[in-house]
Amino acid sequence: MKTPTGDQALIKRMNTAIVLESVLQGAPLSRADISALTGLNKATVSSLVQDLIDSGLVREIGTGQSSGGRKPVLLEFVAESGYAVGVDLGVNYVRGVLTDLRGGVAVERTAQLDKTSPDEVFGILRPFIQSLIDEAPESAFGVVGIGVGVPGLVDRGGAVLYAPNLGWRDVPLQDALNRAFGIPVLIDNEANVGAIGERKFGSGRGIGSMIYVSVGMGIGTGLILQKELYKGAAGFSGELGHLSIEASGPPCRCGNRGCWELYASEQALLVRAAEAGIGEGTLDSLLALAERGDEQTRALFNGIGESLGVGIANIVNVFNPEAVVIGNTMSRARPWLEEAMSHTTEARALNFHLRGIRLLFAELGDRSAVMGAAETAIAAFFKRLRSA
Amino acid sequence: MKTPTGDQALIKRMNTAIVLESVLQGAPLSRADISALTGLNKATVSSLVQDLIDSGLVREIGTGQSSGGRKPVLLEFVAESGYAVGVDLGVNYVRGVLTDLRGGVAVERTAQLDKTSPDEVFGILRPFIQSLIDEAPESAFGVVGIGVGVPGLVDRGGAVLYAPNLGWRDVPLQDALNRAFGIPVLIDNEANVGAIGERKFGSGRGIGSMIYVSVGMGIGTGLILQKELYKGAAGFSGELGHLSIEASGPPCRCGNRGCWELYASEQALLVRAAEAGIGEGTLDSLLALAERGDEQTRALFNGIGESLGVGIANIVNVFNPEAVVIGNTMSRARPWLEEAMSHTTEARALNFHLRGIRLLFAELGDRSAVMGAAETAIAAFFKRLRSA
DNA sequence: CTTAGTTTGTCTATTGGCTAAACTAAGTTT
DNA sequence: AAACTTAGTTTAGCCAATAGACAAACTAAG
């Protein structure tokens, strides 16, 4: 029986979390507002707010408008009571942010990555992260954690099991960073943190079930189901890039055949462009051509859009999500993809599932993953607060 | 702020639920055992157990072995303190059970269904359910609810939005049954209740994430993720039968192309058998042929097994579940399907995701759905207990 | 057949969080 | 200025869980 038993301390933690949550959501509001909002007694709210003020998470910011009686004392969350580091480890770059507890970016930094062996990457990563930590202002909680997104499979213990594009196998990144910095470190797949980033700060704000499709050289996905990131039994789910859409299609390096990413990724686009002799082997060159009105290039994007739609129709049928968000590099091709993509999805998905669904593109662009990584660390901090 | 705030009543409800849960799990055990198991104080356990005894959910069943001191008084859950009705509404049959609160079957009954209009079905269903209710013995809580599985899409309010095989559209079944019997009624898709049945009573016992694939004339699926039935945003997810496995395959009645169920369902088997001039157009005849060693028939099953494997590989890559359970009529063809199915799945799914996965067949056979329907009603009863 | 030691389950006093109601503080309205 | 409103605090009481004392019922050793 692992279930934690209920006692008074639990109640207090729960109610404190509820009060903190209302301050986070409701921005400037008074103790009376919180009481009305939550149903908690005014006295209870007063007491819990005092605790939060003492801990530094909440502060009073003067009085508000009277509505016929004593003026309310307005409260707000102290975003600068702590900081978090978010890192997006790419195949040839590292991007990092230092954010406050509301996700406000204090420092942002990018570095090149030309070597990819675990040791070399760690040699770059360590001072990179340290420099972000060093820039954090004095605060009540200090730097509360480090979140990292990596292009590969990550197990529950934060070890990178397999990252083909980095050439990594079984790299215990979380352990290493944990030892180096002595603060909580969370490692997750790039698509998973991207999903978290878009849901918290981007186009998926407030959405309960959302599938984030990271379309870069491959296709990765992050599944947010019932407001939570879904991970499979072993911690790695959502390899929708390797969902086969042509059972008898060409073999994929994963062992399967006709995988979605063979048809709908940046890689697929570049291969097709090369076959047709268009562009210079880069997404940028193709985007420029499409921009200039080149019909052949636009047809190419159109085809990718259709293939995206085929996979999205599957996703919609399987998950019946509120939204599908397309992110990563290919989101820049939105103008040339969107119509074919939406059209194909609508033609193929089940009618009932399409009701009210939203097909969106990432708002944060190439920052979905860093921001999500930071948010991961912030969320873990709040979770720790709630349970202690 | 909809979150229920914490107060003492909540604590008591939580702890009562914990105590009840340990009695449910641990079968005959004493108050002292519960205290040791849960960490709750002996006095607390005593008090909560007394409440449960008073309510009729728990009873003392004499003393146990002493381990050198006073003999413990053993407790057990009173399964017969209430009853539930489970109904599996098929296209041409209705199956119903009356179970106690532990899912023990007290009465089981099946009826033919030759008419399928909502009114006609309701005319049959009403006395059918009434007769089950009438057989329930006197008990503390009486018949606590009715669960129904139907072959179609069901919305959150228990209305059948679309059931092509019954020819139903927008039939408010839950409302109708609720009014007729005045006890809680829960309607869900056949595959969803089947998943619940197999997880609770069948081959998926205790498994946290499991995909139930109901392979009948079509393919339906029930997704159990993190121990909970997953429903999409609008309440209907898991149409994995309409996951396209051949983007350029033949059109499906759903509007998409190359849907899984066109390749791997009983229907697909029968179509192929007819093309090859084998059997008499029924699954039974083909099973008999395969049994007798007919090579052509076995090859047919083998092909279906491969197609099942293609879809299962997709499922495994997407959900990384602990188990996939094949249910409904086609589970009877297990001997002729299993090898090709496992082999194809292993060849196509990502290696990491295959670790420890189990490909199972339904243990309850054609009773997965009824049992799951009953369990749905039982679970709802316990949920009500916990929140009041 | 005592007597000591164990184990089960209940009783009792205490703790701590929440609440209603009274109260203080600080405004607005007429 | 008097009457009313609203915000936030203080007070007394409630209730569930707990530690520890205790009674009941048993085993085992001398």
Side-chain angles (χ1 to χ4, degrees):
Chain A
M1 205 83 353
K2 283 278 115 56
T3 339
T5 63
D7 61 349
Q8 259 123 258
L10 172 69
I11 290 197
K12 185 163 191 180
R13 285 203 308 272
M14 284 180 53
N15 289 342
T16 306
I18 290 172
V19 169
L20 182 55
E21 191 61 25
S22 26
V23 176
L24 276 165
Q25 304 284 328
L29 80 183
S30 67
R31 292 167 173 81
D33 292 336
I34 298 176
S35 173
L37 211 60
T38 61
L40 288 166
N41 188 280
K42 289 193 299 171
T44 309
V45 172
S46 263
S47 153
L48 296 178
V49 163
Q50 193 52 55
D51 290 354
L52 288 170
I53 290 176
D54 290 346
S55 75
L57 283 166
V58 165
R59 72 177 151 224
E60 301 185 335
I61 50 163
T63 57
Q65 281 273 285
S66 159
S67 55
R70 174 173 165 180
K71 285 181 181 170
V73 177
L74 297 181
L75 303 167
E76 88 177 349
F77 175 64
V78 183
E80 324 83 57
S81 60
Y83 291 85
V85 170
V87 175
D88 172 12
L89 180 60
V91 174
N92 51 10
Y93 68 91
V94 206
R95 185 190 301 269
V97 289
L98 178 77
T99 74
D100 61 35
L101 291 184
R102 209 190 268 119
V105 176
V107 184
E108 179 160 7
R109 197 161 288 166
T110 312
Q112 285 298 313
L113 202 69
D114 6 283
K115 315 289 178 101
T116 62
S117 85
D119 283 347
E120 288 165 328
V121 168
F122 191 70
I124 293 171
L125 214 47
R126 188 177 170 147
F128 183 82
I129 292 174
Q130 187 62 57
S131 79
L132 288 168
I133 292 176
D134 291 343
E135 298 226 31
E138 266 318 294
S139 60
F141 296 96
V143 175
V144 300
I146 302 169
V148 184
V150 299
L153 280 184
V154 178
D155 76 6
R156 293 219 130 86
V160 180
L161 294 180
Y162 180 52
N165 297 327
L166 289 172
W168 286 16
R169 269 187 187 280
D170 296 311
V171 177
L173 189 58
Q174 178 178 306
D175 275 4
L177 291 175
N178 215 320
R179 262 198 300 276
F181 298 103
I183 53 177
V185 176
L186 289 151
I187 315 283
D188 209 332
N189 176 268
E190 169 266 327
N192 280 348
V193 295
I196 290 173
E198 284 295 326
R199 174 168 137 77
K200 182 77 181 182
F201 307 111
S203 44
R205 271 189 298 274
I207 287 180
S209 63
M210 162 194 129
I211 315 293
Y212 174 77
V213 184
S214 165
V215 190
M217 290 311 266
I219 292 183
T221 43
L223 314 176
I224 291 182
L225 308 178
Q226 353 217 43
K227 307 197 176 193
E228 299 257 325
L229 188 67
Y230 172 75
K231 303 185 166 196
F236 25 86
S237 70
E239 287 297 317
L240 300 191
H242 295 284
L243 195 87
S244 169
I245 62 171
E246 291 280 7
S248 44
C252 176
R253 64 186 165 80
C254 76
N256 205 340
R257 292 171 158 274
C259 290
W260 190 24
E261 72 173 37
L262 297 178
Y263 299 86
S265 63
E266 185 181 335
Q267 179 83 50
L269 176 74
L270 296 182
V271 166
R272 250 147 256 200
E275 283 168 5
I278 309 175
E280 299 153 19
T282 64
L283 178 59
D284 282 304
S285 66
L286 292 170
L287 284 171
L289 278 171
E291 187 73 45
R292 256 179 270 139
D294 183 78
E295 282 304 325
Q296 221 186 337
T297 310
R298 290 204 182 170
L300 224 54
F301 276 111
N302 211 60
I304 299 289
E306 274 176 24
S307 295
L308 277 172
V310 171
I312 292 173
N314 275 340
I315 291 177
V316 169
N317 285 357
V318 171
F319 292 100
N320 179 219
E322 286 168 59
V324 176
V325 178
I326 306 293
N328 210 335
T329 51
M330 280 290 271
S331 67
R332 295 167 55 206
R334 173 179 189 164
W336 328 115
L337 294 174
E338 195 163 20
E339 200 192 315
M341 188 182 100
S342 308
H343 187 264
T344 308
T345 304
E346 276 159 33
R348 285 178 170 256
L350 294 170
N351 280 326
F352 283 104
H353 295 59
L354 287 169
R355 288 186 187 169
I357 200 173
R358 290 189 275 166
L359 302 186
L360 307 170
F361 282 77
E363 257 176 37
L364 304 177
D366 50 10
R367 294 165 73 242
S368 313
V370 236
M371 292 308 296
E375 168 59 20
T376 302
I378 295 170
F381 168 68
F382 281 124
K383 191 171 178 183
R384 264 175 282 146
L385 270 189
R386 272 199 300 277
S387 61
Chain B
M1 203 86 351
K2 282 277 118 56
T3 341
T5 62
D7 61 349
Q8 261 116 263
L10 173 69
I11 291 195
K12 187 161 190 180
R13 283 203 308 270
M14 283 180 55
N15 288 343
T16 306
I18 291 173
V19 169
L20 182 56
E21 191 61 24
S22 26
V23 175
L24 276 166
Q25 305 283 328
L29 81 183
S30 68
R31 293 168 173 80
D33 292 337
I34 297 176
S35 173
L37 209 62
T38 61
L40 288 165
N41 188 280
K42 290 190 298 171
T44 309
V45 172
S46 263
S47 153
L48 296 178
V49 163
Q50 194 52 56
D51 290 354
L52 288 170
I53 289 177
D54 290 346
S55 76
L57 283 166
V58 165
R59 71 175 151 224
E60 302 185 335
I61 49 162
T63 57
Q65 280 274 285
S66 160
S67 56
R70 173 173 166 180
K71 285 182 181 169
V73 177
L74 296 181
L75 303 168
E76 87 175 352
F77 174 65
V78 182
E80 326 81 59
S81 61
Y83 291 84
V85 170
V87 176
D88 172 12
L89 179 60
V91 174
N92 51 10
Y93 67 90
V94 206
R95 184 190 302 270
V97 289
L98 177 77
T99 75
D100 62 35
L101 292 183
R102 209 190 268 118
V105 176
V107 185
E108 179 160 5
R109 196 162 288 166
T110 311
Q112 286 298 313
L113 203 69
D114 4 283
K115 314 289 180 104
T116 63
S117 85
D119 283 348
E120 287 163 328
V121 169
F122 192 70
I124 293 171
L125 213 48
R126 185 175 175 152
F128 184 82
I129 293 175
Q130 187 63 57
S131 79
L132 288 168
I133 293 177
D134 290 344
E135 298 226 31
E138 264 319 293
S139 61
F141 296 97
V143 175
V144 300
I146 302 168
V148 184
V150 298
L153 281 184
V154 178
D155 76 5
R156 293 217 131 86
V160 180
L161 295 180
Y162 181 52
N165 297 327
L166 289 172
W168 287 14
R169 271 187 185 280
D170 297 311
V171 178
L173 189 58
Q174 178 177 307
D175 275 6
L177 291 176
N178 215 321
R179 259 197 301 276
F181 297 104
I183 55 178
V185 175
L186 289 151
I187 314 285
D188 209 333
N189 176 270
E190 168 265 327
N192 281 347
V193 296
I196 290 173
E198 284 297 325
R199 175 169 137 76
K200 182 76 181 182
F201 307 111
S203 45
R205 272 189 298 274
I207 287 181
S209 63
M210 167 195 125
I211 314 293
Y212 174 77
V213 184
S214 164
V215 190
M217 291 311 265
I219 292 183
T221 44
L223 314 176
I224 291 183
L225 308 179
Q226 353 217 43
K227 307 195 176 193
E228 298 256 327
L229 189 66
Y230 173 76
K231 303 185 166 196
F236 26 87
S237 70
E239 288 298 317
L240 299 192
H242 295 284
L243 195 85
S244 168
I245 63 170
E246 290 280 9
S248 44
C252 177
R253 64 187 164 77
C254 77
N256 203 341
R257 293 172 157 274
C259 290
W260 190 24
E261 70 171 39
L262 298 179
Y263 300 85
S265 61
E266 184 181 335
Q267 178 83 49
L269 176 75
L270 297 182
V271 166
R272 250 148 256 200
E275 283 167 5
I278 309 175
E280 299 154 19
T282 64
L283 177 59
D284 282 306
S285 65
L286 293 169
L287 284 171
L289 278 171
E291 188 74 46
R292 255 178 270 140
D294 183 78
E295 282 304 325
Q296 219 186 338
T297 310
R298 289 204 182 171
L300 223 54
F301 277 111
N302 211 60
I304 299 289
E306 275 177 24
S307 294
L308 276 171
V310 170
I312 292 173
N314 275 339
I315 290 176
V316 169
N317 285 356
V318 170
F319 292 100
N320 181 217
E322 285 169 60
V324 176
V325 178
I326 307 294
N328 209 336
T329 53
M330 280 291 270
S331 68
R332 296 167 55 205
R334 174 178 187 166
W336 327 115
L337 294 173
E338 195 164 21
E339 201 192 314
M341 189 182 100
S342 307
H343 186 265
T344 307
T345 303
E346 275 158 35
R348 287 178 168 255
L350 295 170
N351 280 326
F352 282 104
H353 295 59
L354 287 170
R355 288 186 186 169
I357 198 172
R358 290 189 276 167
L359 302 186
L360 307 170
F361 282 77
E363 257 177 38
L364 304 178
D366 50 9
R367 295 164 72 241
S368 312
V370 236
M371 292 309 296
E375 169 59 21
T376 302
I378 296 170
F381 169 67
F382 281 123
K383 192 171 178 185
R384 263 175 281 146
L385 270 189
R386 272 198 301 277
S387 62

